[in-house]
Amino acid sequence: MVIRENFEKNLEELKRKIGEMSELSITALEKAFKALKTQDIEIALKVIEGDNAIDNLELEINQFAIWLMAKEAPVSRDLREIIGAIKISSEIERVADFAVNIAKATIKIGTAKSLLEITNLEKMKELAIEMLQKAVQSFTEENIALAKEVGELEDEVDRYNGETYKTITNYLSEHPEEMNQLLQLLFVNRHLERTADHITNIAESTAYLIKGQIYDFNS
Amino acid sequence: MVIRENFEKNLEELKRKIGEMSELSITALEKAFKALKTQDIEIALKVIEGDNAIDNLELEINQFAIWLMAKEAPVSRDLREIIGAIKISSEIERVADFAVNIAKATIKIGTAKSLLEITNLEKMKELAIEMLQKAVQSFTEENIALAKEVGELEDEVDRYNGETYKTITNYLSEHPEEMNQLLQLLFVNRHLERTADHITNIAESTAYLIKGQIYDFNS
């Protein structure tokens, strides 16, 4: 029983680290978006610098997971949970990478008059954060209903993504002089759509480790 | 000794599956690019359909790896190799996803007169394939020198990527009527650059599992 208790404690610790990594990534995404909105290069640079801390946390999670497997030689669901933690941490790392991409776009846009308001990017960012919170919660609390909700939110992001593509390209036809900024906003649009995809992968991994069965919430 | 031999045999099988997944992804990338170049929607649709087989192989690799860990409870380098296989298969899956993205761009470009020749995209595709072959070989043969070469090739891809961005945006300024196609080519340009990044991750994972030490070939 003591062995089991120790294992449970270590698994809780692993989940706590995943939660922490998710919080850091959400903060990075919020900051990057604030930089984009207020055209604040200083904040954008801080987001880029801060990505190291998230990469290090991913590494720590991986090493902790490997140590836990070597120590406990877990089977079935326990093993799936640890593998799940490794896969989920790599998806969260990608969400943080997208924050870096948004920060880089902010720098490339510079001081040109912001056209952010013609897009749905802010709504998409809000949805992406809601998705990540639900996906990670579904993992830490082993709640499959939450994982399913993530798939539904992704459909909303996809819809906004399509609309934003049209809006930006129409605007570009009429204002070719704004090309630099509009291309950067198009990239951000695509990043947010990809971010939603990665978060859906987290939800699918979670559903898999809870049920031991494959889900595809993208389709 | 028999146990060790069995483990080695299973590890070889795992590596063989990784090699097979890599071959399938390279074929998908070649086909997608051929579709883009010859504007062949039929081939593009086949690439999109074929992606399922690659996803399934990734799943098979994951399940095999989990089974192997549960069965053998490996430690240190053996364990790192199995975890490495899981991480590498997820990177290869992303390379295959990029092939799907190129196929989708092909469909969106349709029958507009191709502007592919103004770009470096074909060279970037060639480099990406060379990188993937070297990265996977470095994993299956545990060859760290090959992993380092991957990092060097990535620098070349980055250079072509920057040039192509300039060429396409300059062309777009002068030919706004070609916007649809040019934006798709810009997305392909970015996908190929990201593909090179993911392949560099494979090389880094390989270096890590060989040496038990972290490398960052991106910087």
Side-chain angles (χ1 to χ4, degrees), chain A residues 23-96:
Chain A
E23 286 304 315
L24 283 178
S25 301
I26 288 173
T27 305
L29 206 55
E30 291 280 20
K31 263 194 183 165
F33 206 87
K34 190 182 171 195
L36 180 68
K37 200 171 170 183
T38 61
Q39 302 188 286
D40 190 324
I41 308 289
E42 291 290 309
I43 299 180
L45 288 169
K46 277 195 187 129
V47 170
I48 295 169
E49 282 166 25
D51 193 47
N52 256 342
I54 299 175
D55 286 349
N56 288 340
L57 192 51
E58 188 202 357
L59 201 66
E60 205 183 300
I61 289 169
N62 272 276
Q63 287 172 337
F64 189 74
I66 291 174
W67 170 80
L68 192 54
M69 284 193 285
K71 185 170 167 279
E72 306 273 356
V75 292
S76 60
R77 181 164 170 161
D78 290 342
L79 182 57
R80 286 206 304 273
E81 286 213 60
I82 300 177
I83 301 286
I86 291 176
K87 289 179 102 54
I88 287 170
S89 68
S90 105
E91 297 292 350
I92 297 176
E93 192 265 324
R94 277 166 225 279
V95 174

Side-chain angles (χ1 to χ4, degrees), chain A residues 58-59 62-63 66 69-70 73-75 79 83 86-87 90-91 94 97 165 169 172-173 179-180 183-184 186-187 190-191 194 198 201 208 214, chain B residues 58-59 62-63 66 69-70 73-75 79 83 86-87 90-91 94 97 165 169 172-173 179-180 183-184 186-187 190-191 194 198 201 208 214:
Chain A
E58 188 202 357
L59 201 66
N62 272 276
Q63 287 172 337
I66 291 174
M69 284 193 285
V75 292
L79 182 57
I83 301 286
I86 291 176
K87 289 179 102 54
S90 105
E91 297 292 350
R94 277 166 225 279
D97 266 357
Y165 183 88
T169 50
L172 180 54
S173 314
M179 185 162 64
N180 174 48
L183 290 179
Q184 295 304 323
L186 266 185
F187 288 140
R190 186 163 269 232
H191 293 158
R194 296 295 295 153
H198 286 299
N201 290 342
Y208 169 67
I214 309 306
Chain B
E58 187 200 357
L59 202 66
N62 273 277
Q63 287 172 337
I66 290 174
M69 283 192 286
V75 290
L79 183 57
I83 300 286
I86 291 175
K87 287 179 105 46
S90 107
E91 297 292 349
R94 277 166 225 279
D97 265 358
Y165 183 87
T169 50
L172 181 53
S173 313
M179 184 162 65
N180 174 49
L183 290 180
Q184 294 305 322
L186 267 185
F187 287 139
R190 187 162 269 232
H191 293 157
R194 296 295 295 154
H198 286 298
N201 290 342
Y208 169 68
I214 309 306

Side-chain angles (χ1 to χ4, degrees), chain A:
Chain A
M1 266 326 271
V2 174
I3 291 171
R4 184 74 212 164
E5 265 171 41
N6 269 338
F7 179 76
E8 291 290 345
K9 229 173 81 184
N10 281 321
L11 202 58
E12 282 311 308
E13 174 63 12
L14 189 60
K15 286 180 176 179
R16 197 196 55 72
K17 282 179 199 280
I18 295 272
E20 185 187 339
M21 193 179 167
S22 162
E23 286 304 315
L24 283 178
S25 301
I26 288 173
T27 305
L29 206 55
E30 291 280 20
K31 263 194 183 165
F33 206 87
K34 190 182 171 195
L36 180 68
K37 200 171 170 183
T38 61
Q39 302 188 286
D40 190 324
I41 308 289
E42 291 290 309
I43 299 180
L45 288 169
K46 277 195 187 129
V47 170
I48 295 169
E49 282 166 25
D51 193 47
N52 256 342
I54 299 175
D55 286 349
N56 288 340
L57 192 51
E58 188 202 357
L59 201 66
E60 205 183 300
I61 289 169
N62 272 276
Q63 287 172 337
F64 189 74
I66 291 174
W67 170 80
L68 192 54
M69 284 193 285
K71 185 170 167 279
E72 306 273 356
V75 292
S76 60
R77 181 164 170 161
D78 290 342
L79 182 57
R80 286 206 304 273
E81 286 213 60
I82 300 177
I83 301 286
I86 291 176
K87 289 179 102 54
I88 287 170
S89 68
S90 105
E91 297 292 350
I92 297 176
E93 192 265 324
R94 277 166 225 279
V95 174
D97 266 357
F98 286 123
V100 171
N101 288 337
I102 293 174
K104 285 183 181 166
T106 302
I107 294 167
K108 283 184 185 148
I109 291 171
T111 56
K113 192 185 168 313
S114 177
L115 296 168
L116 187 61
E117 74 212 17
I118 69 169
T119 73
N120 293 315
L121 295 174
E122 187 154 21
K123 282 180 221 144
M124 289 166 74
K125 181 265 297 177
E126 290 298 329
L127 283 167
I129 288 173
E130 192 185 339
M131 285 173 73
L132 184 57
Q133 282 164 335
K134 286 197 167 157
V136 171
Q137 201 188 340
S138 82
F139 171 68
T140 55
E141 296 174 7
E142 302 181 20
N143 178 336
I144 201 161
L146 277 175
K148 279 179 194 153
E149 282 178 38
V150 171
E152 287 156 24
L153 289 170
E154 197 209 5
D155 295 340
E156 274 190 67
V157 173
D158 282 350
R159 211 173 49 243
Y160 281 129
N161 171 60
E163 275 175 27
T164 297
Y165 183 88
K166 274 183 208 145
T167 309
I168 295 178
T169 50
N170 285 341
Y171 198 95
L172 180 54
S173 314
E174 286 160 31
H175 302 275
E177 74 283 4
E178 299 284 2
M179 185 162 64
N180 174 48
Q181 176 173 187
L182 291 166
L183 290 179
Q184 295 304 323
L185 293 177
L186 266 185
F187 288 140
V188 172
N189 185 41
R190 186 163 269 232
H191 293 158
L192 282 170
E193 186 261 329
R194 296 295 295 153
T195 300
D197 265 3
H198 286 299
I199 299 169
T200 307
N201 290 342
I202 298 178
E204 285 168 4
S205 289
T206 298
Y208 169 67
L209 70 89
I210 297 174
K211 295 282 183 185
Q213 197 181 325
I214 309 306
Y215 291 84
D216 181 0
F217 294 145
N218 276 306
S219 61

